[in-house]
Amino acid sequence: MTLLDRKETPAAPAEQPAAPRSRTPAWVRDLGLGIRFAAAGGREGWTRTLLTAVGVGLGVALLLVAASVPHLLDERSGREKARAETKISDSPDTSAKKSDSTVLRIDAGTEYHDRSIAGFLMRADGAHPVLPPGIGELPAPGEMAVSPALKDLLDSPRNALLKERLPYKVTATISDAGLVSPGELLYYAGSETLTPDTGGHRLSGYGDPGPAKPLSPLLIVLIIMICVVLLVPVAIFIATAVRFGGDRRDLRLAALRLVGTDIRMTRRIAAGEALFGSVLGLLIGLAMFLAGRQFVGYVEIWDVSAFPSDLAPDARLCVLIALAVPLTGVLVTLAAMRSVVIEPLGVVRNGRSRRRRLWWRLLLPVAGLAVFGLTGKVEEYGPVNPYPVAGGAVLVLVGLALLLPWLVEACVKRLHGGPVPWQLATRRLQLSSGAASRAVSGVTVAVAGAVALQMLFAAMNDDFNKITGQDPSRAQIYAASEIVSGDAALHTIKELRATKGVIKVIGTVEAYATKPGTYTDDEIQPTTSFSVGDCATLRELARITSCRDGDTFVVHPKDKGQAGWVDETARKGKVVEFDTYGRGKPLLWTLPADTPTVESRPDPLGENRWGIMVTPGAIDAQTLPGAQTVSQIRIDERVPDAAEYVRNTAARIDPGMRLVTLNSVERDRQYASIQTGLQVGATATLLLIAASMLVSQLEQLRERKRLLSVLVAFGTRRVTLGWSVLWQTAIPVVIGLAVAVAGGLALGATLCWMVGKEVSDWFLFLPMAGAGAALILLVSLLSLPPLWRMMRPEGLRTE
């Protein structure tokens, strides 16, 4: 073959190197793309992201506050125990022995305009007295150390009455270590006249290492329910916040479908956007919490406040919040996209969708009630398993939130006709009621939980609020003093009667009379009370018809079987003896033979007093050893500050005089503190719900900005649109409140059965329903100014 016969064959093209395949998983790239859209999606993207982040941040801030409650309670309890008197024995009446470090102290607390002021008069026994936490040295006589809140109160010119009652010179301020809360009113004052004879109690140290009083099982159930009722609306609100701006997000995802993404990619991109908004919300919530914590000392709700250092959330709960919030945002977003078809040419959401199914929505509340039934009743003194109680309540409340969308859709579908605003509102709800239902779900859950709790509180009221038998219509203040030397006893009563605003004083000098004789250690000396008072006073204590100064009476209790010791001691015509406690010979006095016997009468304090009662002419009250002045004071409530004038008189006579305000009902302190905690938490939750509804309302208005501008351009009146927005909010709210009332009553009745109580009032839902309606009205009014701005013709502009 020649060279001419040879054919040149083209050389095979060299193989091009393959593009390097990314090792990053596809789902990570899609999440990253969603984060980029959320972070750099222009004004619309940032607006939606910020709405979500602010909404989530509000919920996270409240969750962090809730996570701080255990630490807050421990710190408050620790400071309270640190300043409590150290017990040297189990007997509360045992005083320490005098030493160089012991201190005499008497409780000199008072009240001022319904606020309690704790205070103590103190006198050192030696050169190195023990000090309560918060002060560096014991105040000198005539001086006092005060808490910052009390100092502010005393510095105000409007509180001249309080300054008159505490005439000591302020020389020191009690530090935080000695206070339970920043707003506590407390003082320590020095005294040079305090002795054991004038009521001083000797102590050797501070700090109570004993365990806290255990809570009643009924109170444990209450606390569990309060936690559930306050935190479930927060969780629902966070789940609602991550869906802000969902309509515009879906339109953007439809554009991505047009350039080649599939359904799974769009869902992962949407999850990335939700993840970014949730994480940003975590940071915003943390910033809100840290910033708000600095000002928490200035906030006082229902007489409760806290130091900034007390608000320190538990680390494990913080980790749980940091993981649960983003996960909730992603899961809620993915669940929401299952009801939306995102195609390259648009989003299918406004067509007729399939009806919401009811059966599975009823499973949760029914399951919750079944959990309570399987758990059974709570034993009065038995242990309480908190998990079934909390689980059952969560199932019921979440079930109510899930039931609401079905009920709103079923109700608005039957609404037709009516005025133009009504038609605009109902038609909008018929097209898309999901957003309105989500906005109201927090109110529904909060009101339902509050109704159930109020029913439980009312049913348990009798267990923790006892009838004292006191009669505030006869006297409002009880006063007792041990300073009776000289004419101090009668002088005290005279001064109280001369006080401005005082109508009547039931004042007596109290002592104890015994039957003279010699008794062995195994024998008990017959003893009875001995009271000195004028005729008007004695008639308040016994059923006396005829009385003149100088008369004496033997008073029997209603139960004649309890009159034995009275008759053994009060022998008519015989001598009774008054013990002088080693300060001389016993004082002897003869009970007249013609002394009548009368029956006792309950005094304003609710007590039946019996024994020997005499008028001042029968004995010199100044000579009675170991006596005590007791006064029950009736004031004219129409006189401003009448009670404060009485307290000032008492403090001037005896700073250690014990004053008690008479009430017909006495509340258990643990029960009262839990009820206070509920009020504080409910206030915070309602504020959060109001903020969430306002943000949700503004987000819906922003998405319909162009539609509102078009309606205005075609001649629709602004008032018409305003009313339509109000109706659009009010209709789901009315339905939500109806669901809340029904669910709350069912849950409350179940809880009452669980603790073995009867439902005392089926109409307790009225205040809470009214609060929910007022909340909606407030949100609607606050959304009107943005609505007017969005109805301007400039809203028709587009790019």
Side-chain angles (χ1 to χ4, degrees):
M1 184 186 325
T2 63
L3 292 174
L4 294 175
D5 295 327
R6 200 187 310 176
K7 293 184 179 179
E8 292 288 335
T9 56
E15 293 187 3
Q16 299 292 330
R21 183 173 297 178
S22 174
R23 295 181 181 180
T24 305
W27 65 271
V28 175
R29 294 198 305 271
D30 295 337
L31 284 178
L33 186 58
I35 292 174
R36 287 182 59 189
F37 282 140
R43 182 178 178 183
E44 287 291 335
W46 264 111
T47 301
R48 177 185 174 276
T49 301
L50 284 178
L51 282 173
T52 300
V54 170
V56 172
L58 288 170
V60 168
L62 193 57
L63 287 177
L64 290 175
V65 172
S68 304
V69 169
H71 183 266
L72 184 149
L73 295 178
D74 288 343
E75 290 295 307
R76 286 173 61 94
S77 177
R79 290 193 296 269
E80 196 167 12
K81 284 186 174 183
R83 74 182 191 192
E85 176 185 348
T86 300
K87 293 183 179 179
I88 60 175
S89 72
D90 293 334
S91 174
D93 297 329
T94 302
S95 297
K97 294 182 179 179
K98 185 176 180 180
S99 69
D100 186 56
S101 62
T102 55
V103 173
L104 281 172
R105 188 175 80 161
I106 189 172
D107 187 351
T110 184
E111 291 184 15
Y112 183 71
H113 291 168
D114 297 327
R115 296 191 65 182
S116 295
I117 300 176
F120 298 92
L121 292 180
M122 311 177 76
R123 183 182 183 183
D125 285 328
H128 303 91
V130 292
L131 300 174
I135 61 175
E137 60 179 359
L138 210 63
E143 298 178 351
M144 68 176 174
V146 299
S147 64
L150 181 56
K151 186 176 186 302
D152 294 339
L153 209 62
L154 291 171
D155 290 342
S156 174
R158 296 179 298 176
N159 300 316
L161 285 173
L162 179 61
K163 200 165 185 177
E164 177 185 337
R165 191 181 314 165
L166 304 176
Y168 315 102
K169 180 182 178 182
V170 177
T171 57
T173 302
I174 303 172
S175 67
D176 294 351
L179 302 174
V180 174
S181 64
E184 185 179 18
L185 304 177
L186 173 68
Y187 74 91
Y188 298 106
S191 171
E192 61 181 354
T193 59
L194 185 63
T195 64
D197 294 337
T198 57
H201 177 76
R202 183 168 281 114
L203 58 90
S204 60
Y206 294 93
D208 180 10
K213 180 182 176 182
L215 288 174
S216 161
L218 300 183
L219 293 183
I220 293 176
V221 173
L222 270 179
I223 293 174
I224 295 171
M225 284 302 305
I226 289 173
C227 294
V228 170
V229 167
L230 296 182
L231 294 182
V232 169
V234 177
I236 291 177
F237 167 56
I238 292 177
T240 302
V242 297
R243 299 184 66 175
F244 288 162
D247 293 351
R248 292 184 178 272
R249 178 205 61 203
D250 295 341
L251 290 174
R252 184 168 60 254
L253 293 177
L256 292 176
R257 289 295 314 278
L258 191 61
V259 297
T261 60
D262 58 17
I263 293 295
R264 291 182 178 179
M265 288 182 64
T266 56
R267 288 178 178 173
R268 289 195 290 262
I269 291 171
E273 292 190 50
L275 181 64
F276 179 78
S278 299
V279 172
L280 185 60
L282 276 175
L283 298 177
I284 291 178
L286 179 60
M288 289 180 178
F289 173 76
L290 294 177
R293 188 174 67 165
Q294 304 305 316
F295 302 97
V296 71
Y298 300 99
V299 178
E300 188 168 328
I301 304 176
W302 305 106
D303 294 334
V304 176
S305 60
F307 290 105
S309 58
D310 293 343
L311 286 181
D314 184 88
R316 293 167 297 180
L317 295 178
C318 287
V319 172
L320 180 62
I321 293 171
L323 295 177
V325 170
L327 181 62
T328 300
V330 172
L331 293 179
V332 168
T333 300
L334 294 178
M337 293 190 67
R338 295 177 63 88
S339 62
V340 179
V341 180
I342 300 176
E343 296 293 347
L345 298 179
V347 179
V348 179
R349 74 164 66 248
N350 290 333
R352 177 172 292 276
S353 59
R354 63 180 182 178
R355 296 179 58 186
R356 301 178 191 267
R357 295 183 179 180
L358 177 62
W359 64 271
W360 69 270
R361 300 174 188 272
L362 293 176
L363 287 180
L364 285 182
V366 172
L369 297 177
V371 168
F372 287 123
L374 295 175
T375 303
K377 294 187 176 183
V378 174
E379 298 291 336
E380 187 174 358
Y381 299 104
V384 178
N385 186 356
Y387 299 106
V389 179
V394 169
L395 288 174
V396 171
L397 295 178
V398 173
L400 294 177
L402 294 177
L403 181 62
L404 183 62
W406 178 89
L407 198 58
V408 171
E409 183 182 83
C411 291
V412 299
K413 186 172 64 174
R414 293 170 172 80
L415 299 177
H416 302 285
V420 174
W422 175 266
Q423 293 187 45
L424 288 173
T426 55
R427 184 57 181 158
R428 175 66 184 178
L429 291 173
Q430 289 167 357
L431 289 174
S432 177
S433 61
S437 301
R438 289 193 299 270
V440 178
S441 59
V443 177
T444 301
V445 172
V447 171
V451 169
L453 273 178
Q454 292 293 343
M455 290 178 66
L456 188 58
F457 263 103
M460 296 168 60
N461 185 70
D462 291 342
D463 289 351
F464 298 98
N465 294 275
K466 64 180 182 180
I467 304 299
T468 63
Q470 298 173 1
D471 188 355
S473 64
R474 293 171 62 193
Q476 292 85 22
I477 299 175
Y478 169 87
S481 173
E482 296 181 4
I483 300 179
V484 291
S485 58
D487 62 347
L490 300 178
H491 174 71
T492 296
I493 298 171
K494 182 179 178 181
E495 286 287 311
L496 289 172
R497 284 176 175 163
T499 301
K500 180 179 179 180
V502 172
I503 299 176
K504 188 175 186 178
V505 175
I506 305 171
T508 58
V509 178
E510 302 287 331
Y512 286 97
T514 59
K515 179 181 178 181
T518 303
Y519 300 88
T520 65
D521 293 340
D522 296 333
E523 294 177 319
I524 300 177
Q525 187 175 12
T527 305
T528 190
S529 63
F530 191 93
S531 305
V532 182
D534 58 23
C535 288
T537 293
L538 296 185
R539 284 194 176 99
E540 294 285 344
L541 308 177
R543 304 189 184 280
I544 298 172
T545 54
S546 175
C547 177
R548 292 177 298 177
D549 190 27
D551 286 352
T552 59
F553 304 91
V554 174
V555 182
H556 278 182
K558 270 190 175 183
D559 185 358
K560 304 302 181 184
Q562 298 179 357
W565 273 39
V566 175
D567 290 336
E568 278 194 47
T569 307
R571 300 169 301 156
K572 298 176 182 179
K574 302 293 183 179
V575 173
V576 297
E577 178 181 286
F578 299 95
D579 192 354
T580 57
Y581 305 97
R583 299 177 185 175
K585 294 182 179 181
L587 175 66
L588 301 178
W589 180 80
T590 302
L591 179 66
D594 59 349
T595 300
T597 299
V598 297
E599 187 178 301
S600 69
R601 175 191 177 192
D603 65 5
L605 197 61
E607 297 179 352
N608 282 288
R609 292 154 62 178
W610 53 81
I612 301 173
M613 294 188 182
V614 304
T615 54
I619 191 172
D620 185 359
Q622 303 173 23
T623 62
L624 292 176
Q628 183 184 41
T629 305
V630 174
S631 302
Q632 298 178 66
I633 306 157
R634 181 181 177 187
I635 60 175
D636 186 351
E637 297 181 351
R638 296 171 298 180
V639 177
D641 293 327
E644 306 305 330
Y645 288 117
V646 171
R647 295 188 180 106
N648 280 13
T649 299
R652 185 174 64 251
I653 297 171
D654 174 16
M657 185 179 293
R658 184 165 61 96
L659 295 177
V660 178
T661 301
L662 303 189
N663 295 297
S664 57
V665 178
E666 182 181 357
R667 303 173 67 195
D668 182 89
R669 291 188 64 184
Q670 288 183 335
Y671 177 84
S673 63
I674 291 174
Q675 192 169 33
T676 300
L678 170 62
Q679 293 169 333
V680 173
T683 302
T685 304
L686 284 177
L687 292 175
L688 173 69
I689 291 173
S692 72
M693 292 197 64
L694 182 60
V695 173
S696 178
Q697 182 84 325
L698 295 179
E699 187 266 343
Q700 293 181 47
L701 292 176
R702 186 180 64 85
E703 290 192 346
R704 291 180 303 170
K705 177 179 179 181
R706 186 173 302 172
L707 176 60
L708 293 171
S709 299
V710 169
L711 290 173
V712 172
F714 276 93
T716 307
R717 295 191 306 167
R718 293 173 181 265
V719 175
T720 300
L721 292 178
W723 277 107
S724 71
V725 170
L726 179 61
W727 285 122
Q728 188 178 328
T729 306
I731 292 173
V733 166
V734 171
I735 299 173
L737 290 178
V739 172
V741 169
L745 291 176
L747 178 58
T750 304
L751 290 171
C752 291
W753 168 83
M754 190 175 184
V755 298
K757 304 297 178 184
E758 296 287 338
V759 177
S760 60
D761 189 353
W762 287 98
F763 295 96
L764 285 172
F765 66 87
L766 292 176
M768 290 307 304
L775 187 67
I776 301 307
L777 180 60
L778 175 64
V779 170
S780 299
L781 292 177
L782 292 177
S783 64
L784 287 180
L787 175 64
W788 301 141
R789 290 197 302 271
M790 293 178 187
M791 289 189 292
R792 294 172 182 171
E794 288 81 359
L796 295 174
R797 290 181 178 178
T798 186
E799 296 181 6

